[in-house]
Amino acid sequence: KETFCAQAKKMTYSLFSIDRANSIIERVAYIHRVFGGFITGKLIDSLIIGVLCFIGIRVMMSVGLLTIESSFALLISVIIGVTNIIPFFGPFIGAIPSAILIMVESPLQALYFVIFIIILQQIDGNILGPKILGESTGMKPLWIIFAITVGGSMFGVIGMFLGVPVVAIINYLFDLYLQYRLKKKNISETLVDNALKDMKLDE
């Protein structure tokens, strides 16, 4: 990895001016940070959710809320953990087949399980996810849904997983392009921001 990075930097500085090469390396470093941070963080987050799911199911079994076999507890936890890798929709995708498995035993127990998954998802979305992932993508929920939907329709599960960081990088590059165009026209971003504020006040 270190050798490849060193060779890539040498090639970049040999082909471009120092300022342009510094700019390219800065952009590549940001892309690496977004992809690496998102993928690593999501894997850790999903592992924790899988373990918490297993612990929660075992607790529910011990108090009599679930009467499924012990092997099912591990299977369901793996399903929930793996599908949690997919942002936003993942936990619900995993909960559906898991709830069907439990429903064979008892519809009431399946309802208890669904309630447990909703609580687990709230913990993940409001506590674990933000703590682990932080602002690795900096994307709004609407763009995350868009990235997952388009990525899933074009490339399946892999697209749903990688769609978020890819769209985040496209958004970042597009923002840089807009900044370049504004600078070329000698228009400051502050002037644009103030104009938008004035429009909101007029409304």
Side-chain angles (χ1 to χ4, degrees):
K1 177 184 174 182
E2 286 76 12
T3 302
F4 176 77
C5 289
Q7 292 292 340
K9 284 183 179 180
K10 286 180 184 178
M11 186 180 297
T12 304
Y13 279 107
S14 67
L15 294 175
F16 302 97
S17 65
I18 293 178
D19 289 340
R20 180 60 61 86
N22 288 335
S23 178
I24 291 172
I25 290 173
E26 182 183 345
R27 306 294 180 261
V28 172
Y30 176 84
I31 291 171
H32 177 268
R33 191 163 58 251
V34 169
F35 258 95
F38 179 81
I39 293 174
T40 304
K42 200 61 187 171
L43 290 174
I44 293 172
D45 176 56
S46 297
L47 176 62
I48 294 173
I49 288 299
V51 171
L52 289 177
C53 182
F54 180 76
I55 294 172
I57 290 175
R58 294 294 296 181
V59 170
M60 293 172 71
M61 289 171 64
S62 65
V63 298
L65 293 177
L66 290 177
T67 58
I68 58 175
E69 295 181 12
S70 298
S71 58
F72 277 4
L74 181 59
L75 174 62
I76 290 170
S77 300
V78 170
I79 292 173
I80 295 297
V82 171
T83 56
N84 190 69
I85 291 174
I86 300 171
F88 205 81
F89 297 115
F92 303 103
I93 294 173
I96 293 171
S98 302
I100 292 172
L101 280 174
I102 299 173
M103 194 178 294
V104 174
E105 183 74 25
S106 168
L108 183 60
Q109 291 183 24
L111 177 62
Y112 292 149
F113 173 76
V114 169
I115 293 172
F116 166 69
I117 290 298
I118 291 173
I119 294 171
L120 189 63
Q121 169 58 18
Q122 292 301 310
I123 293 172
D124 182 36
N126 296 310
I127 300 174
L128 279 178
K131 287 288 184 182
I132 296 173
L133 295 173
E135 296 297 328
S136 59
T137 61
M139 289 173 61
K140 302 293 183 184
L142 179 63
W143 282 110
I144 292 176
I145 295 172
F146 171 79
I148 294 169
T149 304
V150 174
S153 64
M154 294 179 67
F155 304 105
V157 176
I158 298 297
M160 294 178 76
F161 176 51
L162 296 179
V164 173
V166 167
V167 171
I169 289 167
I170 292 172
N171 182 54
Y172 167 72
L173 295 176
F174 182 68
D175 187 53
L176 287 177
Y177 174 74
L178 291 180
Q179 291 178 21
Y180 167 75
R181 296 294 298 175
L182 289 173
K183 186 176 180 181
K184 195 171 182 180
K185 292 185 176 183
N186 293 321
I187 301 173
S188 67
E189 290 186 57
T190 306
L191 182 65
V192 175
D193 292 338
N194 290 335
L196 290 173
K197 289 179 182 178
D198 291 339
M199 289 175 64
K200 289 181 179 178
L201 291 173
D202 292 339
E203 292 176 359

